[in-house]
Amino acid sequence: MDPRVRKHAEIIADHSTRIEEGDNVILNAPPVAEDLVTALFAICGERGANPQWLGQTTAAHRAFMHAADADQFETPEHALAQMEAADVYVSIRGDTNTRQTSDVDPEKTAAYSKAHRPIFEERMGKRWVGTQYPAPGNAQEAEMATEAYENFVYAAIDKDWDQQREHQQQMVEILDPADEVRIVSGDTTDVTMSVAGNPTANDYAELNLPGGEVYTAPLPESVEGEVTFDKPVVNQGREILGARLVFEGGEVVDHSAEKNEAVLTALLNTDDGARRLGELGIGMNRDIDRFTYNMLFDEKMGDTVHMAIGRSIPWTVGEENEANDSATHVDMIVDMGEDSFIEVDGEVVQRDGTFRFEDGFEG
């Protein structure tokens, strides 16, 4: 076994989820990630925890979705009971074919998400993490050789996370007390939103591995302006290019896409909350230096901002504020490397990818 796999497992167990004696641990991972699952089983055995491997493939999920009637989707009570009994949940991504579900009806996918929402909400109360195994399918999607992709993944994961937290905390301290945030990129994106009273979270690999972002929630009715997402959005195996959203009173009132606009439309029609933003995130992991068609990495990429339509993340919503409620949460990325800036309460805090607390910043 590659020693980096054992190191990956140790970061999951020690840093991200703190697996302890007696913990019931669910490992949701495809067969291609068996080495990482094996390493985690060994750690659970060493610590007296109780692991269970859920090994569904995307091919099996595709077969179910094609055969199922969306009108019959209900919350599977056995899956909910299993999640209720868990202490730790580890979701491991890894693909042999990243586009396996690309021919599943987007409206059926939205209905499935609604039915499984209680399971998702239960999971959010556990010690959980989502991570990536460097599988060949993901390497191919990233247009990289498998060995090069392995090096990329492990460089982004095996970091000094305490140091990364301290670096990101500087942005947290700017954003946390803020009222208004403005994002400008080129002549296609100029959007403002209020984050007043909503906490800013510092993601340093506790819930996502890799980590590397700070994020908060806009007030649902505060978003105004237009944004074009210049990085692709991949949802259920479909690639949306050039997604453009226009906001008025917090709601998407116009949208378009250069490719797969119908998929974007279906996402926005999931429910009322899908037409509002649930998250504003700023990527700060500079070991992620290229777009790989994998949002777990791409949203953390240095010199980017991402916004998510749909559900707010609960701990980013202040007690006095309204959370955006939706069955979906889809992140979309804006490149902030050139001809761009982030403005907080009228003051530029990042220009062309350089923060005001970094050398080379020009306000």
Side-chain angles (χ1 to χ4, degrees):
M1 181 184 294
D2 187 329
R4 295 176 299 180
V5 175
R6 172 70 188 205
K7 180 63 174 179
H8 189 177
E10 289 171 352
I11 294 170
I12 291 170
D14 295 334
H15 177 77
S16 301
T17 62
R18 304 176 307 282
I19 293 175
E20 301 172 347
E21 182 178 356
D23 280 342
N24 293 326
V25 180
I26 294 176
L27 306 176
N28 190 348
V32 72
E34 183 178 2
D35 278 358
L36 182 54
V37 172
T38 299
L40 283 165
F41 262 64
I43 289 172
C44 287
E46 293 162 6
R47 300 186 183 185
N50 308 306
Q52 182 178 22
W53 180 11
L54 306 182
Q56 177 177 286
T57 66
T58 51
H61 180 69
R62 174 183 176 273
F64 170 78
M65 294 295 283
H66 275 295
D69 181 350
D71 292 334
Q72 302 300 315
F73 283 153
E74 296 180 350
T75 302
E77 295 299 328
H78 65 302
L80 178 58
Q82 182 182 51
M83 190 62 70
E84 289 171 345
D87 301 295
V88 174
Y89 178 86
V90 179
S91 175
I92 301 170
R93 303 180 185 184
D95 294 285
T96 54
N97 179 356
T98 61
R99 305 302 174 97
Q100 185 71 259
T101 59
S102 61
D103 59 354
V104 175
D105 182 353
E107 294 184 359
K108 185 178 284 190
T109 298
Y112 180 88
S113 296
K114 287 181 180 178
H116 283 72
R117 185 173 180 183
I119 300 171
F120 172 84
E121 291 176 345
E122 181 67 27
R123 172 167 70 84
M124 295 293 276
K126 307 299 179 181
R127 306 197 308 275
W128 64 272
V129 68
T131 193
Q132 176 72 45
Y133 183 80
N138 302 102
Q140 185 175 35
E141 183 80 347
E143 300 179 347
M144 300 172 71
T146 300
E147 181 180 359
Y149 185 67
E150 289 172 351
N151 294 337
F152 167 81
V153 167
Y154 292 127
I157 285 173
D158 188 4
K159 290 172 64 74
D160 183 337
W161 288 111
D162 289 336
Q163 184 181 71
Q164 185 71 22
R165 177 186 58 78
E166 292 174 6
H167 174 65
Q168 294 174 180
Q169 188 62 28
Q170 297 172 94
M171 190 61 208
V172 172
E173 291 171 3
I174 292 171
L175 200 54
D176 202 46
D179 183 355
E180 185 176 85
V181 180
R182 182 185 180 198
I183 308 293
V184 176
S185 181
D187 57 6
T188 59
T189 294
D190 191 343
V191 62
T192 61
M193 62 197 72
S194 174
V195 296
N198 280 347
T200 302
N202 187 342
D203 172 16
Y204 54 101
E206 288 192 305
L207 303 179
N208 290 320
L209 182 61
E213 65 167 309
V214 300
Y215 59 100
T216 188
L219 302 188
E221 297 180 359
S222 72
V223 186
E224 299 284 347
E226 179 175 338
V227 55
T228 297
F229 299 97
D230 39 25
K231 299 297 185 184
V233 179
V234 179
N235 185 262
Q236 293 296 318
R238 294 177 175 84
E239 181 182 54
I240 304 169
L241 294 179
R244 169 182 165 271
L245 303 179
V246 179
F247 292 89
E248 292 181 5
E251 186 175 358
V252 175
V253 296
D254 190 22
H255 71 278
S256 62
E258 297 168 6
K259 178 183 178 182
N260 274 331
E261 184 174 321
V263 178
L264 178 61
T265 300
L267 287 171
L268 293 169
N269 288 340
T270 300
D271 47 39
D272 290 343
R275 289 186 169 269
R276 299 183 183 275
L277 288 186
E279 179 189 359
L280 168 67
I282 301 172
M284 298 183 69
N285 186 337
R286 292 211 168 98
D287 283 310
I288 303 173
D289 57 3
R290 60 183 292 167
F291 186 82
T292 61
Y293 290 88
N294 184 335
M295 192 56 69
L296 180 65
F297 290 78
D298 297 339
E299 69 175 1
K300 318 299 189 332
M301 185 167 45
D303 308 344
T304 65
V305 161
H306 58 276
M307 304 173 205
I309 55 171
R311 180 178 53 252
S312 299
I313 299 170
W315 50 88
T316 64
V317 180
E319 292 182 2
E320 303 300 321
N321 287 343
E322 175 189 359
N324 194 46
D325 186 36
S326 177
T328 194
H329 180 99
V330 179
D331 294 290
M332 305 181 186
I333 296 173
V334 180
D335 187 344
M336 301 293 288
E338 296 181 358
D339 193 21
S340 66
F341 62 87
I342 301 173
E343 190 177 271
V344 177
D345 291 338
E347 180 180 358
V348 175
V349 301
Q350 186 203 63
R351 187 179 295 279
D352 298 341
T354 302
F355 294 99
R356 76 178 189 194
F357 46 82
E358 295 180 311
D359 294 340
F361 173 74
E362 297 180 1

